[in-house]
Amino acid sequence: MGGAVRRVVSLVPSLTEAVAVSAPGLLTGVTDWCTHPADLGAAVRIGGTKNPDVRRIAELRPDLVIANEEENRAPDLAALRAAGLEVLVTEVRDLPQALRELDRVLVGALGLARPLWLTDAEAAWGRAQPLAPLRAVVPIWRRPWMVLGRDTFAGDLLARLGVVNAYAGHAERYPRVPVAELAGSGCDLVVLPDEPYRFTAADGPEAFPGLPAALVSGRHLTWYGPSLAEAPAVLASALRAAAAV
């Protein structure tokens, strides 16, 4: 990449937060789903992660567009490149890869000093103590019901906290599974994040009668950014509370 990066468009909420916290003022465009930090300054909203406005992004003349191979669609990324834009695509399947990719974006691509929060996140997970093993199902959507399967970032975080994902060996990364099968899986608990589907105490646990439900922060479970520094404590607290019921 030639020259200093001064204008960035982020197509990933996690990376938006990572850039905004590390280098305020670099972001010129963000998605409609970018909610952290609360004040994104003059950054223009350029549509969703799955349907970004390619023409509007090109008009912003960013030095770099940052994306993710899972959250963003290949045709949109190809269209951005065809418009002459530099696109950096991340891949995040586990915690070590997330830390490497954050370093690649912030230090390698943007030329920043390694942010303190990234060092803190690495240290926090290095200190994390897993709970006694808990076998769980981890829905991420309902209507239809979908769960964490193999090879996912969220699944890796939970495994580091002692959660044994009942579907970690599934051929698909986000399989659709009938709720009756999930409820009858013989697990110790069900883990219900508040994103991408917003599970709440009134929407989700009732589908798993007799099974303790851990309602967890989706941002701490699925985002790879500054929230990683507090994620071990936040997630462990929710899991511990559910297991104690």
Side-chain angles (χ1 to χ4, degrees), residues 22-227:
S22 306
L26 275 187
L27 289 168
T28 187
V30 298
T31 76
D32 297 339
W33 298 104
C34 294
T35 57
H36 289 77
D39 181 10
L40 287 169
V44 175
R45 299 289 175 169
I46 47 75
T49 57
K50 306 296 185 187
N51 59 343
D53 186 335
V54 173
R55 180 177 177 179
R56 184 72 183 102
I57 294 171
E59 290 172 347
L60 293 174
R61 295 178 289 106
D63 301 308
L64 181 66
V65 178
I66 50 178
N68 176 265
E69 51 87 30
E70 180 174 71
E71 294 197 50
N72 307 120
R73 302 186 315 141
D76 293 324
L77 303 182
L80 289 167
R81 290 191 176 103
L85 301 179
E86 182 95 23
V87 181
L88 185 157
V89 182
T90 59
E91 178 183 297
V92 175
R93 302 295 176 89
D94 57 28
L95 178 63
Q97 189 175 33
L99 296 172
R100 290 195 302 271
E101 289 288 66
L102 286 165
D103 194 271
R104 181 166 75 102
V105 171
L106 299 171
V107 180
L110 302 186
L112 306 176
R114 195 173 200 262
L116 180 59
W117 64 259
L118 186 51
T119 300
D120 289 344
E122 194 167 21
W125 280 99
R127 295 189 302 267
Q129 296 294 316
L131 308 175
L134 295 165
R135 190 166 180 268
V137 291
V138 191
I140 57 166
W141 203 259
R142 69 182 300 175
R143 294 186 292 271
W145 285 90
M146 299 173 67
V147 299
L148 292 184
R150 64 170 181 84
D151 194 25
T152 67
F153 172 69
D156 183 62
L157 293 193
L158 289 172
R160 292 170 186 274
L161 296 174
V163 174
V164 179
N165 179 7
Y167 288 87
H170 198 282
E172 298 177 24
R173 297 183 66 218
Y174 303 103
R176 297 185 180 188
V177 183
V179 69
E181 178 182 324
L182 298 177
S185 60
C187 286
D188 300 307
L189 79 165
V190 56
V191 178
L192 297 169
D194 61 10
E195 63 175 84
Y197 184 90
R198 188 173 180 78
F199 288 107
T200 67
D203 184 357
E206 81 289 344
F208 303 88
L211 193 62
L215 294 164
V216 303
S217 162
R219 177 167 164 262
H220 290 96
L221 180 62
T222 64
W223 287 37
Y224 36 92
S227 59

Side-chain angles (χ1 to χ4, degrees), residues 1-8 26 62-64 109-111:
M1 185 182 306
V5 175
R6 302 184 185 281
R7 299 170 62 83
V8 175
L26 275 187
D63 301 308
L64 181 66
L110 302 186

